Amino acid sequence: MPVTQTPSGPVWTRRTTTEQWASWAGWLAVAVLFVISWQVMNTNTIWSFVDDAPRQAGDLLSRSWPPRWSYVGNLWLPLWDTLNMATLGTLIGTILAVPTAFFAARNTTPSVAILRPVALFVIVASRSINSLIWALLLVAILGPGILAGIIAIALRSIGFIGKLLYEAIEEIDESQVEAIRATGAGGWQVLDYGIVPQVLPAFAGITVFRWDINIRESTILGLVGAGGIGLQLQSSLNVLAWSQVTVIFALILVTVIVSEWVSGKVRTAII
Amino acid sequence: MLRIDALDKRYKTGDHALKGVSFTVERGQVVGLIGPSGAGKSTLIRCINRLVESSRGKVLLNDVEITGMSGSGLRRMRRRIGMIFQEYALVERLTVMENVLSGRLGYVPFWRSFLRRYPQADVDKAFALLDRVGLTDHVDKRADALSGGQRQRVGIARALEQDPELLLVDEPTASLDPKTSRQIMRLICEVCRERQLPAIINIHDVSLAQMFVDRIIGLRAGEVVFDGPPDGLDHAALTEIYGEEDWNQMRAEKEEDARDEEDAAAFEATRRERMEGIA
Amino acid sequence: MSATPPVAGRRWRRPPLFIQSRLWRWVIYSGVLVYLVLAVGSLEVDWQRVYAGLERAQRFIGGFLVPDFVTRSDQIWRGMVESLTMTVCATVVGIAISVPIGIGAARNIAPWPVRVVCRAIIAVSRAFQEIVIAILFVAMFGFGPFAGFVTLSFTTIGFLSKLLADDIEEIDESQAEATRATGAGWWQIVNYGVQPQVMPRLIGLSLYRLDINFRESAVIGIVGAGGIGATLNTAMERYDYDTAGAILLLIILLVMAAEYGSSHIRKWIQ
Ligand SMILES: Nc1ncnc2c1ncn2[C@@H]1O[C@H](COP(=O)(O)OP(=O)(O)OP(=O)(O)O)[C@@H](O)[C@H]1O
Ligand SMILES: [Mg+2]
């Protein structure tokens, strides 16, 4: 903590003067950025719509209630599709993510100059693009249906699993690897005995975690035509059947809670 | 027989860790390698099984040159050299048995090691070794559930499972209490004599080294400055290796250590008697 | 040393990794197998359609490799500006609301009625995804970035207040105790005993959330909440894959830049 000597004795301030200034400048910059952004964002906003929002909300509520519970019968098959999309997508994504992670980790990559940057780019690209956007592209290419959804989920999962896994690989205890190498083990044996046991718990945890997220995401992929319960959501929205939308939301909520519970159980069982 | 000839190592960082080290170790001879921290003891040991690449010089094991090998030749050479580490370096999440069997990795094909289907002869040998180091009851425990002394015993069993022709030991006792240290040192030296194995043991504890090894090599700043029998390690030699220090003080401590060991043995004996009395 | 001398020929098998009971292992493994067969069996793939799509895939990959930033540059620009302003506003407003809610939800400093209310707000905001919330807010506020802004602010609250509350609950109690011992009031305890401990992580999380908000802003446009997602959606509907490729590349680049920048800012702040 800086203490400055002045004629009237030492004065204590929390920060040095430059630090203080830098911090104020930072806050000011944030404020200015916010004001400008606000203005630019709202150039086309029609404020009467915004003012009208509470009334719209009330209207929405009255149309959503009571929910049309009988509609739930139409939802079981889409729900099954949704679960399959998430599970198969996670499976495929994992299969692709594992080699990617080993290529990306500094201590296991076979080539630092070429394969590692490629693997890192694959991971970033997959992570930057939401599975809904992947689904949008894939529906255009493969046609509507759950295949597009599975691949979308898989493509998005590569980045997530790949990143967390390669970080786990880079954090392993090298001395264990060295000891295995010192016994005369070959490359694959070093992988099997020295590296895999160390990252296996992390890997299992990451995969289950991603499966849980994928369940959530697969519920809405139908909005762009990739199958599952989202398709029902889309068609109900199109005809403004809000009482059906309520039922769908409720089912999504239950699914998500159950999957979260399952993944929590599995993770504690593994670790 | 191990021959080291003018071994030189310079790290990329510029550290000149070894400066023309030469010596020969005969069959069954246990060599204690001592020297201050940073003298290059670990570097020397690692240059022998090529975990670290030496810059110049030769290493020969039973008249076969180790330096210059690569690929499968290097692997076949490594499997003949057992190594024991300071922090045990066991694969923590594998069982004791898997750790011991990993000593056979250089001998078995990948599918066998992957499926954990080792030849019965290897498994027999592993059981015998675990019995030898006193861990028969812990075969299927995970390594991270063992105490330090037990882990080091697994490390020893793993090295011996390789049927080594040379044993490299890097500070085997640095993480252990004095009594366990002695047991571990005794175990290593006994095995070496039984099997007529040459061994190099890096060790910081000079008196412990003197108690067990046949020969001591003193390293200082990458150079051999002492090479002789343990008794020859006098005040002058220690000063040459470590610099000025009150060595007599250490001598006294060593005698005290010996007394402690006697006490411990006596205590152990009375405890056993008492337990038998209860039974 | 040991009671049982080794017998040659003693077998050894690796103990099972996950499920110890043999029956359960069998039940679970075959259950998984049956599920996989059923799941793959219920896949209905129109291979002809897939085959027909290959040509589009080619065009799309072409669009990605040779992106067209120019033809619809004004639309891309507008979408980007909307996304970025939406992100900034939603993050700032979201943080401003998250902090009091996060404090109110922390077990060790908030009284229980406040805590219950705050935890309830967090739970509601976390229960649904951005896209579902965006659907509702678009219905309420009409199309455009304002609905997106409200959506992102709302989801930011769930994310940040939860992590902030967890952080506050994990602080080193002794420091807050020490402040309390000097006779400080509630505000002073929060200011001196709690804030210094959670501030660095709060800043880190805020930057992380900024990053997430930008990524999400690219998605919620698909349901009408403005931003680059809307532009992307339009491009896809027009089969304009060159523009779509350009937009995707821009998103990837911006996310990379944001990650790189925020890791630097985080280092600089600590
Ligand atoms: N991987 C490395 N890269 C660069 N320099 C190293 C490396 N390992 C060791 N050195 C340097 O080489 C010299 C010898 O180190 P070494 O580890 O062999 O010493 P040591 O005698 O084993 O010491 P200690 O008793 O502390 O284990 C030291 O100066 C050290 O800094
Ligand atoms: Mg060393």
Side-chain angles (χ1 to χ4, degrees):
Chain A
M1 293 295 126
V3 177
T4 24
Q5 297 293 339
T6 61
S8 52
V11 169
W12 176 86
T13 46
R14 199 147 79 89
R15 296 193 174 94
T16 60
T17 345
T18 29
E19 271 175 350
Q20 188 67 65
W21 279 108
S23 140
W24 277 343
W27 285 113
L28 188 69
V30 170
V32 169
L33 188 65
F34 174 69
V35 170
I36 294 176
S37 300
W38 181 259
Q39 240 132 47
V40 174
M41 180 181 84
N42 288 320
T43 39
N44 292 323
T45 304
I46 301 164
W47 291 105
S48 60
F49 278 8
V50 176
D51 293 337
D52 198 31
R55 211 180 53 75
Q56 290 290 338
D59 185 39
L60 216 59
L61 214 61
S62 71
R63 277 195 278 164
S64 324
W65 208 263
R68 229 188 102 206
W69 291 118
S70 60
Y71 184 63
V72 94
N74 301 11
L75 295 179
W76 298 124
L77 202 62
L79 185 64
W80 165 252
D81 279 346
T82 303
L83 292 180
N84 291 344
M85 246 174 359
T87 310
L88 296 179
T90 311
L91 200 67
I92 296 173
T94 309
I95 292 170
L96 296 173
V98 168
T100 314
F102 277 99
F103 289 157
R106 205 171 287 118
N107 46 352
T108 53
T109 183
S111 109
V112 187
I114 305 165
L115 270 178
R116 179 157 195 266
V118 170
L120 286 176
F121 180 76
V122 168
I123 288 174
V124 174
S126 146
R127 261 161 44 79
S128 327
I129 295 175
N130 193 291
S131 50
L132 196 66
I133 298 182
W134 283 119
L136 189 68
L137 304 180
L138 287 160
V139 167
I141 292 170
L142 301 173
I146 93 167
L147 183 65
I150 291 174
I151 299 178
I153 293 277
L155 287 178
R156 174 66 182 86
S157 304
I158 293 176
F160 183 91
I161 299 175
K163 177 169 195 306
L164 293 178
L165 184 59
Y166 100 74
E167 285 170 355
I169 295 173
E170 286 187 346
E171 275 166 20
I172 60 170
D173 174 10
E174 281 294 331
S175 71
Q176 300 181 27
V177 181
E178 199 176 45
I180 295 295
R181 192 169 290 130
T183 65
W188 289 102
Q189 289 174 326
V190 171
L191 195 70
D192 179 19
Y193 278 70
I195 298 171
V196 169
Q198 293 194 57
V199 296
L200 202 59
F203 170 70
I206 295 164
T207 312
V208 175
F209 187 33
R210 185 66 218 182
W211 173 78
D212 177 18
I213 300 176
N214 282 345
I215 293 270
R216 276 166 190 262
E217 302 214 323
S218 62
T219 56
I220 43 114
L221 292 187
L223 286 177
V224 294
I229 202 166
L231 270 181
Q232 252 60 26
L233 180 60
Q234 176 75 326
S235 53
S236 299
L237 282 173
N238 280 344
V239 296
L240 297 177
W242 286 95
S243 57
Q244 292 180 16
V245 173
T246 316
V247 177
I248 294 173
F249 281 178
L251 191 59
I252 290 180
L253 195 61
V254 171
T255 315
V256 166
I257 290 171
V258 170
S259 82
E260 205 163 281
W261 180 81
V262 170
S263 90
K265 276 274 167 227
V266 174
R267 261 184 295 164
T268 47
I270 291 170
I271 302 160
Chain B
M1 191 187 80
L2 174 76
R3 212 177 95 211
I4 294 175
D5 197 12
L7 201 64
D8 217 84
K9 171 66 189 174
R10 192 188 281 278
Y11 280 104
K12 274 201 219 88
T13 51
D15 291 282
H16 203 169
L18 295 176
K19 299 169 188 157
V21 173
S22 304
F23 59 86
T24 309
V25 185
E26 301 296 338
R27 281 173 64 89
Q29 188 178 53
V30 178
V31 176
L33 191 61
I34 63 172
S37 195
K41 304 183 295 293
S42 302
T43 306
L44 175 57
I45 275 199
R46 272 147 209 268
C47 280
I48 295 174
N49 67 355
R50 301 263 309 274
L51 287 175
V52 167
E53 292 297 334
S54 55
S55 314
R56 233 179 312 120
K58 274 193 274 193
V59 178
L60 293 99
L61 180 60
N62 298 337
D63 295 325
V64 181
E65 191 176 335
I66 290 173
T67 34
M69 281 184 169
S70 66
S72 65
L74 178 65
R75 287 183 48 204
R76 233 169 292 131
M77 179 279 299
R78 271 188 186 148
R79 73 185 190 190
R80 289 157 47 208
I81 303 177
M83 185 155 177
I84 297 169
F85 298 79
Q86 172 184 347
E87 300 283 350
Y88 329 120
L90 301 181
V91 182
E92 301 278 316
R93 300 190 65 91
L94 293 184
T95 62
V96 167
M97 190 50 144
E98 283 173 292
N99 268 293
V100 175
L101 285 173
S102 71
R104 299 307 292 179
L105 286 177
Y107 294 88
V108 299
F110 176 69
W111 69 268
R112 270 190 183 278
S113 62
F114 183 73
L115 298 174
R116 302 331 192 231
R117 287 271 187 277
Y118 286 84
Q120 186 59 36
D122 293 355
V123 178
D124 286 345
K125 192 182 340 221
F127 273 120
L129 281 169
L130 283 172
D131 184 57
R132 175 75 176 78
V133 300
L135 288 175
T136 325
D137 302 332
H138 303 280
V139 173
D140 282 334
K141 253 197 197 163
R142 250 170 44 178
D144 54 9
L146 299 179
S147 72
Q150 290 171 330
R151 287 184 204 202
Q152 196 54 293
R153 287 163 194 277
V154 178
I156 293 170
R158 172 173 66 188
L160 294 177
E161 177 81 9
Q162 285 175 243
D163 284 330
E165 293 163 36
L166 168 71
L167 213 53
L168 302 174
V169 191
D170 197 356
E171 294 182 28
T173 61
S175 320
L176 300 174
D177 68 74
K179 181 150 184 272
T180 319
S181 296
R182 286 205 178 86
Q183 292 171 343
I184 292 290
M185 277 300 281
R186 187 171 298 126
L187 181 62
I188 293 175
C189 295
E190 272 174 19
V191 183
C192 288
R193 279 169 200 136
E194 276 165 28
R195 303 184 172 213
Q196 284 293 298
L197 272 178
I200 299 181
I201 305 183
N202 275 357
I203 190 159
H204 271 299
D205 186 338
V206 176
S207 38
L208 191 63
Q210 283 174 302
M211 216 177 290
F212 289 103
V213 304
D214 307 320
R215 172 182 169 195
I216 284 188
I217 291 179
L219 215 56
R220 178 179 186 171
E223 282 169 304
V224 177
V225 291
F226 176 87
D227 188 350
D231 307 333
L233 203 62
D234 53 13
H235 187 281
L238 283 171
T239 309
E240 172 75 28
I241 301 170
Y242 288 101
E244 200 55 58
E245 190 50 66
D246 188 355
W247 302 114
N248 289 325
Q249 170 76 28
M250 223 171 87
R251 286 265 158 64
E253 271 171 22
K254 176 184 150 195
E255 272 150 29
E256 218 165 90
D257 274 0
R259 255 202 316 279
D260 279 352
E261 197 180 25
E262 278 168 24
D263 287 351
F267 173 72
E268 189 70 13
T270 48
R271 195 177 60 100
R272 216 173 301 132
E273 273 168 25
R274 260 212 312 268
M275 279 179 43
E276 273 161 6
I278 295 167
Chain C
M1 278 194 196
S2 160
T4 47
V7 189
R10 186 172 160 193
R11 301 257 152 204
W12 172 80
R13 295 192 65 172
R14 173 170 49 169
L17 273 183
F18 293 122
I19 310 150
Q20 299 299 326
S21 145
R22 182 174 233 177
L23 177 72
W24 272 111
R25 197 160 61 235
W26 195 84
V27 168
I28 290 177
Y29 285 170
S30 48
V32 169
L33 198 70
V34 168
Y35 167 77
L36 280 181
V37 170
L38 283 181
V40 174
S42 74
L43 267 182
E44 282 166 16
V45 182
D46 181 354
W47 290 110
Q48 256 172 345
R49 176 66 185 75
V50 172
Y51 184 73
L54 286 184
E55 182 261 342
R56 278 195 195 176
Q58 242 173 19
R59 276 209 294 140
F60 182 75
I61 291 169
F64 200 73
L65 292 178
V66 191
D68 176 5
F69 293 94
V70 184
T71 318
R72 301 192 191 283
S73 61
D74 53 330
Q75 281 167 29
I76 297 179
W77 175 246
R78 212 178 52 227
M80 272 294 164
V81 167
E82 274 183 12
S83 266
L84 288 172
T85 52
M86 205 153 89
T87 306
V88 170
C89 293
T91 311
V92 171
V93 171
I95 294 169
I97 303 176
S98 301
V99 170
I101 294 184
I103 293 174
R107 197 183 324 115
N108 47 354
I109 52 175
W112 76 265
V114 178
R115 200 168 72 229
V116 169
V117 173
C118 292
R119 285 279 169 187
I121 297 174
I122 293 175
V124 170
S125 141
R126 286 173 68 82
F128 289 105
Q129 298 172 61
E130 281 82 355
I131 204 87
V132 171
I133 293 171
I135 292 174
L136 295 178
F137 282 135
V138 167
M140 280 164 59
F141 293 98
F143 292 105
F146 193 84
F149 154 74
V150 179
T151 307
L152 293 181
S153 307
F154 188 68
T155 49
T156 301
I157 293 170
F159 176 89
L160 269 183
S161 355
K162 164 131 198 312
L163 293 176
L164 181 62
D166 291 352
D167 259 9
I168 295 177
E169 286 177 359
E170 277 166 21
I171 60 165
D172 177 7
E173 280 291 334
S174 61
Q175 291 184 36
E177 279 297 312
T179 319
R180 188 169 299 137
T182 64
W186 188 87
W187 283 109
Q188 289 164 320
I189 293 173
V190 170
N191 189 207
Y192 285 86
V194 178
Q195 191 207 352
Q197 292 189 60
V198 296
M199 202 57 190
R201 226 172 97 75
L202 178 63
I203 293 176
L205 287 174
S206 306
L207 288 169
Y208 182 42
R209 187 65 212 186
L210 189 73
D211 190 23
I212 299 179
N213 277 348
F214 175 71
R215 270 185 250 190
E216 293 299 335
S217 79
V219 179
I220 54 181
I222 294 177
V223 294
I228 193 72
T231 321
L232 181 65
N233 204 14
T234 321
M236 292 299 296
E237 273 165 9
R238 290 192 189 126
Y239 305 111
D240 181 359
Y241 295 142
D242 296 343
T243 304
I247 294 173
L248 287 181
L249 273 180
L250 275 178
I251 295 176
I252 294 176
L253 284 179
L254 269 172
V255 169
M256 271 168 89
E259 254 179 35
Y260 188 75
S262 72
S263 75
H264 267 263
I265 297 179
R266 249 174 290 179
K267 247 181 248 153
W268 180 70
I269 283 171
Q270 278 148 19

